[in-house]
Amino acid sequence: MHTQVAILGAGPAGLLLAHLLSLHRIESVVLETKSRSYVESRIRAGVLEHGTAQLLCDTGVGERLKRQGMRHKGINLGYSGEIHRIDLSDLTDGKAITVYGQHEVVKDLIAARISSGGKILFEVDDVCVDALSTNRPRITFRHQGQDCELTGDWLAGCDGSHGVSRTSVPPGALRVFEKNYPFAWLGILAEAAPSWEELIYAHHEEGFALFSMRSPSVTRLYLQCKPDEDLSKWPDERIWENLERRLSFAGSKKVRRGKILQKGVTTMRSLAVEPMQYGRLFLAGDAAHIVPPTGAKGMNLAVSDVWFLTRALADFYSKGRTDLLESYSNSCLRRVWKAQRFSWWMTCLMHRFDHDDAFELRRQLAELDYLTSSGAAATALAENYVGLPWEG
Ligand code: APR
Ligand code: PHB
């Protein structure tokens, strides 16, 4: 099998790339190790930047997003028992975020690909990538019990943080930048109507907590925990008690409890590789960079990467030019590093690192006070949160 662009991974990066390429009449095949139902129900991120929601709507996959996505014009910061609203829209000329689960984006993109005759092979196995420096990069894999081979003019590695594309690049060709954090998030999905209308990032002596949502009847909540946290030590009652303490604010309602539908631990790390390209392989999304979830940037970076990649491939196929392909990595990395900085900054602002460090606690509280009392500081947060421009 040969195609113009062979894509590894049916997450937001791989699926959106296939969709955007098809609008330029560029052919692709997507290979995915998991099943369709698995990727369509995997609970991941949930906040779309202004530009991400706009792109999905402008390219014809925003129908359900427009109906079911929850447009939020602000977020809240909770600290010292008080809640403070940051008016994102006022501070960014009317921009907003949309709360819409990543798996819903994945469902919409798969439906669009399938209805327009696009090829996605689910449940592939033994995926190997080679010939990256030739004009015909190659993927070998097993599908439905058969040995298969897919070659492409180009290969897009959109196979996430544990995929094979990044590790198939010869050692030394990529530089890896990494930072680990001494905590993780214990996340739950609960069958409960959201108690507040907008997200709350809460700083608390016992550790960070986040109030978020997925729909008018489903709440998403997180608690700072240890990286090796044992979930069996967290019965539902302990989770709710912790959330109630960390999300308790003067004069405000309480977090509403409900049946816990899902529980999991998300580890926190920052990682970036440079360049995001080797031979005819382009890395995009989590395959190229990971951010801690505090700034809600992961899925949005995957979207901007594939926007840059589509533009470069469209230029190649329509005009035979390769300059945008050559500058793909630099274009993405400018934005990636700003998102890395923002995610790292928000993570350091909101979490307890060392419970004995009283200086650090005072510094965080002073920064939160500054953010919620200075227009300049709040604007810096708001413009990053709704998403910086894709270029410049
Ligand atoms: N071959 C094919 N597919 C693979 C392989 C492989 N060897 N290894 C992994 N995959 C698949 C995974 O099963 C997954 O469906 O690649 C897909 C990668 O998707 P994501 O992990 O969602 O990554 P990406 O599309 O870059 O989206 C980034 O995902 O983890 C979140 O916070 C992150 O929101 C961000 C978003
Ligand atoms: C989520 O709803 O899952 C979510 C929201 C904001 C974040 C991270 C995750 O910063």
Side-chain angles (χ1 to χ4, degrees):
M1 218 182 344
H2 182 81
T3 188
Q4 289 176 304
V5 186
I7 302 174
L8 275 180
L15 291 167
L16 182 61
L17 177 62
H19 171 65
L20 296 178
L21 290 175
S22 74
L23 301 179
H24 291 274
R25 303 194 184 288
I26 300 170
E27 211 186 81
S28 68
V29 175
V30 178
L31 303 182
E32 165 62 51
T33 46
K34 305 285 191 200
S35 67
R36 179 175 176 181
S37 63
Y38 182 90
V39 297
E40 287 189 340
S41 54
R42 184 170 45 188
I43 301 296
R44 306 287 269 284
V47 173
L48 309 187
E49 288 178 357
H50 189 83
T52 298
Q54 190 89 50
L55 177 72
L56 295 172
C57 293
D58 289 350
T59 60
V61 282
E63 175 79 17
R64 234 161 39 93
L65 166 63
K66 278 187 226 156
R67 272 189 284 121
Q68 292 172 22
M70 293 175 281
R71 193 176 142 85
H72 287 193
K73 293 182 173 179
I75 54 167
N76 299 288
L77 298 177
Y79 63 95
S80 305
E82 306 260 351
I83 195 163
H84 302 259
R85 182 166 188 269
I86 304 282
D87 194 320
L88 299 173
S89 286
D90 262 11
L91 296 163
T92 61
D93 293 327
K95 293 195 179 120
I97 51 153
T98 305
V99 178
Y100 189 65
Q102 178 172 318
H103 67 290
E104 304 292 355
V105 174
V106 163
K107 271 191 225 166
D108 296 339
L109 289 168
I110 291 177
R113 283 312 293 135
I114 288 179
S115 75
S116 61
K119 216 178 236 163
I120 310 175
L121 303 185
F122 290 99
E123 296 179 77
V124 302
D125 247 330
D126 296 335
V127 180
C128 291
V129 167
D130 68 3
L132 297 178
S133 310
T134 72
N135 285 344
R136 283 213 156 199
R138 185 169 73 129
I139 307 171
T140 55
F141 58 99
R142 282 184 71 74
H143 186 237
Q144 296 175 339
Q146 305 233 323
D147 287 326
C148 308
E149 180 178 303
L150 172 67
T151 53
D153 299 344
W154 307 94
L155 214 151
C158 303
D159 48 349
S161 51
H162 303 294
V164 295
S165 53
R166 186 174 73 225
T167 48
S168 303
V169 173
L174 302 180
R175 187 161 174 207
V176 180
F177 300 82
E178 217 173 346
K179 186 175 273 298
N180 288 303
Y181 300 88
F183 40 72
W185 282 8
L186 192 168
I188 61 161
L189 195 66
E191 209 171 70
S195 317
W196 293 272
E197 283 168 10
E198 294 169 338
L199 273 57
I200 306 174
Y201 288 85
H203 177 279
H204 192 273
E205 283 203 11
E206 290 176 42
F208 170 71
L210 172 61
F211 164 82
S212 179
M213 62 196 76
R214 282 293 175 277
S215 74
S217 57
V218 176
T219 303
R220 181 84 169 131
L221 296 145
Y222 299 93
L223 283 170
Q224 176 180 349
C225 65
K226 293 193 294 246
D228 56 352
E229 197 69 63
D230 179 359
L231 270 181
S232 68
K233 302 222 165 72
W234 284 86
D236 295 3
E237 186 58 28
R238 182 175 173 206
I239 293 179
W240 288 118
E241 280 173 5
N242 265 271
L243 284 166
E244 278 170 7
R245 274 201 305 280
R246 299 188 201 182
L247 292 166
S248 144
F249 310 106
S252 175
K253 9 186 176 192
K254 267 173 50 170
V255 62
R256 194 175 287 126
R257 293 188 181 200
K259 184 176 163 209
I260 297 186
L261 305 168
Q262 208 214 49
K263 250 184 230 182
V265 173
T266 308
T267 52
M268 311 269 285
R269 66 181 176 135
S270 304
L271 179 141
V273 298
E274 290 186 7
M276 287 170 52
Q277 172 178 2
Y278 176 80
R280 289 209 161 209
L281 167 71
F282 294 93
L283 300 172
D286 273 18
H289 39 71
I290 300 163
V291 288
T294 326
K297 291 287 159 243
M299 173 171 37
N300 295 294
L301 281 182
V303 168
S304 52
D305 286 353
V306 300
W307 180 82
F308 282 117
L309 188 52
T310 303
R311 188 180 66 164
L313 288 166
D315 219 41
F316 170 78
Y317 283 110
S318 63
K319 302 185 196 126
R321 285 172 50 170
T322 56
D323 49 326
L324 290 179
L325 284 168
E326 281 147 24
S327 60
Y328 165 74
S329 181
N330 285 343
S331 304
C332 293
L333 283 166
R334 273 190 84 189
R335 188 171 150 79
V336 166
W337 275 110
K338 284 181 206 138
Q340 290 285 10
R341 182 209 69 82
F342 178 67
S343 308
W344 162 86
W345 169 78
M346 241 184 125
T347 301
C348 295
L349 174 69
M350 300 306 302
H351 293 76
R352 289 303 309 270
F353 278 73
D354 174 354
H355 278 266
D356 295 329
D357 193 340
F359 182 92
E360 185 55 21
L361 179 59
R362 290 288 187 281
R363 187 200 64 76
Q364 287 176 326
L365 292 172
E367 187 155 4
L368 284 160
D369 185 11
Y370 176 52
L371 269 174
T372 51
S373 57
S374 150
T379 303
L381 166 63
E383 68 174 5
N384 278 277
Y385 201 84
V386 300
L388 294 174
W390 290 4
E391 286 180 288

